Amino acid sequence: MDYIDDLEIGKKVSVRGLANRLSVSDGTAYRAIKEAQSRGLVSINDRSGTTRIANQAQRVIETLTFGEISKIASAEVMAGEAGLSQVFSKFAIGAMTKQNIRKYLTHGGLLIVGDRTDIQLLALDEENAVLITGGVDIEPEVLARANAQGIPVLRTDFDTFTVASRINRALSNELIKKEITTVADVYQSKAATLLETSTVKDYLDLVKKTNQSRFTVLNKANYVVGVVSMRDVTGKKNSTTIDKVMTSHPRLAKFDMTVASTSQKMIFDGYDMMPVINADNTFAGIISKSDMLRSMQESSEQSQFSHTLSDEVINAVKEVQSYYAFVVEPFMMNNVGNIANGMLVEIISYIAARVMTKTKRKNIIIESMTLYFLGAVSIDDELEVFPKIISETRLGATIDFEIYLDYQIISKILVTVQIN
């Protein structure tokens, strides 16, 4: 693991190469690579192989190019078109003296500035792109230097605050996208499979060998044609071919699907495993329920670089003994001055998960929710939510919620959940 961690970003690594270099067995090398994958140190791909990647702490979190920034800021490219495809590292606002601003200029950065030619030239000297606000004229010296260095100079009619707000929002959106775990992050590329021409005996042998019971069935072209489980082969002769007993046309997962949506599909269909396919629809691997649960657990434990609306809602809810409380904030309101339905659903979903975690210590999926509004609320009202589990089984539960304002009930909600 130390060897993999010290590899340069982009470096290829293989089981055989790792085993030879460190004088360990292929099995040990394989387990190390799988562990490195789970830690986010390497990416495993059928075609390109295993590659050392930047983990979450090493990634440059701003991944917008100067060309995309010009669109976000509705800016005109005045010079340095050759550098539009470059990814910028961060942006700063040039609202101070040359001596003080120098420490905020980093290689590959973006400086937002007005009609200050000296600051514009300083930014170019420090290899920073320049975004000039207010639609002011630009000195020929600045344009000439930008073209010579291949560093973009952009100009927009917007003011500095508007431009900075737009860029900050774009960066926040990029961060949120990165934090969403997809199938590509957690799938298993090495998975036992069967051919449609295999027999029930082949299936039983594979069960003994792998200690698993559900397998993907492929044809000769490596396309997924079905899945087979112990239930399918029970009572069948050993000579029966798999294509006669398998479940055809199974649900398939793709690399860009989120773990949350895939988990929901698997739970609704009662699957423990789902085949994963490449862009050309050939078999790539599998994703299991345990893979997804582990990923969702890790995601909940990791610190967030950026906050979604759900994060804001979660931060607003506080647990007080046997109930939960939150203050109605402006972002929770709809256009008629009452708490928005979507906000209430988000809050209740979060509390339901907290309630079930206490009793079952497992993830849940909301199956249905019925809301009854009995009164209106205003900004800064403090609401108290009292949850009560009214029925519970191994696979699900029904929870009753009552929401109070000043000892008066203002809403009743009935939630049905599936326990994962």
Side-chain angles (χ1 to χ4, degrees):
M1 290 303 301
D2 290 339
Y3 174 79
I4 294 173
D5 191 42
D6 291 336
L7 289 176
E8 295 180 5
I9 305 302
K11 186 78 172 177
K12 300 288 186 182
V13 60
S14 67
V15 171
R16 182 60 56 83
L18 191 62
N20 291 340
R21 181 173 292 273
L22 300 182
S23 300
V24 297
S25 69
D26 287 357
T28 300
Y30 174 73
R31 289 194 298 274
I33 288 177
K34 292 302 291 184
E35 175 65 18
Q37 182 188 26
S38 69
R39 296 187 190 181
L41 296 176
V42 299
S43 172
I44 300 177
N45 186 283
D46 278 13
R47 304 183 173 220
S48 60
T50 303
T51 307
R52 174 71 167 91
I53 60 174
N55 60 29
Q56 190 170 33
Q58 296 169 316
R59 289 175 188 158
V60 178
I61 60 175
E62 300 87 352
T63 58
L64 298 175
T65 64
F66 291 123
E68 291 166 334
I69 290 298
S70 68
K71 297 175 184 177
I72 293 167
S74 299
E76 179 184 4
V77 181
M78 305 301 296
E81 288 88 350
L84 289 177
S85 60
Q86 180 182 344
V87 176
F88 81 103
S89 57
K90 71 174 185 177
F91 72 92
I93 297 174
M96 55 191 76
T97 63
K98 288 178 64 175
Q99 291 76 15
N100 289 329
I101 202 172
R102 190 182 294 273
K103 63 184 177 182
Y104 295 101
L105 300 178
T106 58
H107 177 73
L110 173 72
L111 182 68
I112 303 174
V113 67
D115 57 349
R116 299 180 61 186
T117 302
D118 58 338
I119 299 296
Q120 296 166 13
L121 292 172
L122 174 62
L124 292 174
D125 289 341
E126 298 291 335
E127 299 186 0
N128 279 242
V130 179
L131 175 55
I132 299 171
T133 58
V136 298
D137 293 332
I138 305 173
E139 295 294 329
E141 180 185 1
V142 174
L143 299 178
R145 188 173 301 183
N147 283 325
Q149 296 180 234
I151 300 175
V153 171
L154 314 173
R155 182 175 66 184
T156 180
D157 291 329
F158 289 115
D159 62 274
T160 300
F161 176 79
T162 301
V163 170
S165 298
R166 285 189 170 198
I167 295 175
N168 194 56
R169 169 55 59 185
L171 290 176
S172 179
N173 289 341
E174 288 297 311
L175 295 177
I176 291 170
K177 290 177 185 177
K178 285 184 177 185
E179 291 168 2
I180 297 175
T181 306
T182 62
V183 170
D185 297 322
V186 299
Y187 85 106
Q188 302 175 35
S189 59
K190 304 291 185 182
T193 61
L194 291 165
L195 292 173
E196 57 185 344
T197 55
S198 302
T199 65
V200 170
K201 184 180 185 305
D202 295 328
Y203 168 84
L204 296 174
D205 291 341
L206 197 56
V207 170
K208 293 178 181 179
K209 182 179 178 180
T210 64
N211 202 29
Q212 297 175 358
S213 62
R214 188 177 179 87
F215 303 102
T216 306
V217 182
L218 309 176
N219 61 18
K220 292 181 179 180
N222 202 38
Y223 289 101
V224 178
V225 294
V227 293
V228 62
S229 64
M230 187 63 72
R231 182 179 58 184
D232 299 321
V233 304
T234 300
K236 303 298 189 298
K237 294 181 179 180
N238 284 352
S239 58
T240 305
T241 55
I242 292 298
D243 62 335
K244 300 294 194 303
V245 298
M246 70 182 184
T247 301
S248 303
H249 309 295
R251 282 185 182 265
L252 302 175
K254 297 183 177 180
F255 288 140
D256 58 352
M257 292 171 61
T258 65
V259 166
S261 65
T262 307
S263 173
Q264 190 175 49
K265 290 182 175 67
M266 290 177 66
I267 291 171
F268 284 165
D269 291 336
Y271 294 162
D272 291 324
M273 176 276 290
M274 186 182 291
V276 181
I277 57 174
N278 293 305
D280 60 359
N281 293 325
T282 57
F283 177 72
I286 64 168
I287 183 168
S288 67
K289 187 181 291 186
S290 60
D291 293 331
M292 292 186 295
L293 292 178
R294 183 171 59 252
S295 170
M296 293 168 73
Q297 179 67 26
E298 290 173 355
S299 296
S300 66
E301 293 174 353
Q302 290 173 350
S303 60
Q304 301 290 311
F305 284 119
S306 183
H307 294 285
T308 63
L309 190 59
S310 294
D311 295 324
E312 298 295 335
V313 170
I314 289 171
N315 290 335
V317 178
K318 308 298 180 186
E319 185 174 359
V320 185
Q321 296 178 350
S322 62
Y323 67 93
Y324 297 80
F326 67 95
V327 176
V328 179
E329 299 185 30
F331 74 90
M332 299 180 182
M333 308 301 288
N334 59 20
N335 58 347
V336 296
N338 198 6
I339 187 168
N341 290 353
M343 285 293 135
L344 201 53
V345 168
E346 193 71 42
I347 290 169
I348 295 302
S349 298
Y350 168 66
I351 296 176
R354 289 283 299 271
V355 170
M356 296 309 299
T357 299
K358 284 185 175 182
T359 59
K360 288 288 186 180
R361 295 190 178 277
K362 292 186 177 181
N363 293 311
I364 67 164
I365 289 180
I366 303 293
E367 192 172 64
S368 66
M369 184 181 298
T370 306
L371 290 81
Y372 299 93
F373 277 106
L374 307 175
V377 298
S378 303
I379 295 175
D380 294 333
D381 283 345
E382 184 172 355
L383 304 183
E384 298 175 346
V385 183
F386 291 83
K388 180 181 179 182
I389 300 176
I390 58 178
S391 68
E392 184 176 0
T393 66
R394 185 175 62 85
L395 299 177
T398 301
I399 312 172
D400 177 71
F401 291 86
E402 292 184 344
I403 302 181
Y404 286 83
L405 171 63
D406 296 332
Y407 305 104
Q408 297 292 321
I409 186 169
I410 59 102
S411 180
K412 280 187 69 70
I413 302 169
L414 191 65
V415 178
T416 303
V417 303
Q418 283 194 10
I419 300 173
N420 186 355

